[in-house]
Amino acid sequence: HSFAFTGSLIWYPAFLTRVHGFESGAIGTLLAFGSSLPTALGIVLGGMATDRLQRRDPRWITRVAGVTMIAYAPFALGFLYFEAWPLALANLVPAALMMGMSVPGMHVATQALAPAHLRALASAVTLLVLSVVGSGLGPFAVGVMNDLLADRLGDEAVRYTLSIVGLTPVWSGVHYLLAERTLVRDLAHRAAHDADAS
């Protein structure tokens, strides 16, 4: 999840410059309104949806994240491959929205499954891993793949590299959905553990 989010976001300006010929000012405006704002809105909407749905069935904690991560991929690829700019932008906005909506479930699951006395540590470890994989590995991997493909594909290499990264959320989404199988049992075990501890 973090690998795709940060890896893509860092390299979108290069993609827009090399493939579509955008200037830096236009890129900043476009990504602010086409990516940053929809991502922020998605985080709020994902939190609201997760809160509401998990009251009926706790498996929605990871289900919202899983469904939105899988839904992200086709929109991300649409943004990369539509040559007509309005169509590309029409795919970027829902891709960013889906990416944002997937975030709350991850943090809710972390807090819900961690014993009360370890919740701060669980958050710290989660954020550490997200930073290392997302900010550290994501952009680096995109750069390495881009360099490997650049001789054969030229400026188009960044499109194909971002396509590979754009598909990794499907793997993330599948694992969110697989977590449903044991989530209810794990939550009950954690609640019993907390009750015994008190």
Side-chain angles (χ1 to χ4, degrees), residues 12 15-16 20 22 30-31 33-35 38 71-98:
Y12 277 165
F15 166 73
L16 293 169
H20 291 285
F22 276 79
L30 189 143
L31 291 180
F33 289 100
S35 181
Y72 162 85
F75 290 115
L77 294 178
F79 168 65
L80 294 170
Y81 285 95
F82 278 116
E83 294 296 340
W85 185 241
L87 284 175
L89 184 59
N91 279 268
L92 177 61
V93 171
L97 189 72
M98 293 297 107

Side-chain angles (χ1 to χ4, degrees), residues 188-198:
H189 177 73
R190 195 280 339 248
H193 180 271
D194 284 353
D196 290 343
S198 61

Side-chain angles (χ1 to χ4, degrees), residues 55-124:
R55 290 184 200 127
R56 284 186 265 167
D57 184 343
R59 289 175 294 186
W60 279 104
I61 292 171
T62 57
R63 190 178 293 163
V64 171
V67 169
T68 53
M69 273 288 80
I70 292 170
Y72 162 85
F75 290 115
L77 294 178
F79 168 65
L80 294 170
Y81 285 95
F82 278 116
E83 294 296 340
W85 185 241
L87 284 175
L89 184 59
N91 279 268
L92 177 61
V93 171
L97 189 72
M98 293 297 107
M99 182 63 78
M101 287 186 72
S102 65
V103 170
M106 170 183 52
H107 294 290
V108 170
T110 301
Q111 291 300 299
L113 292 171
H117 68 285
L118 293 176
R119 286 183 183 150
L121 178 62
S123 289

Side-chain angles (χ1 to χ4, degrees), residues 8 21 32 84 86 93 119 121 135 149 161 164-165:
S8 296
V93 171
R119 286 183 183 150
L121 178 62
S135 301
L149 295 174
T161 302
I164 296 168
V165 173

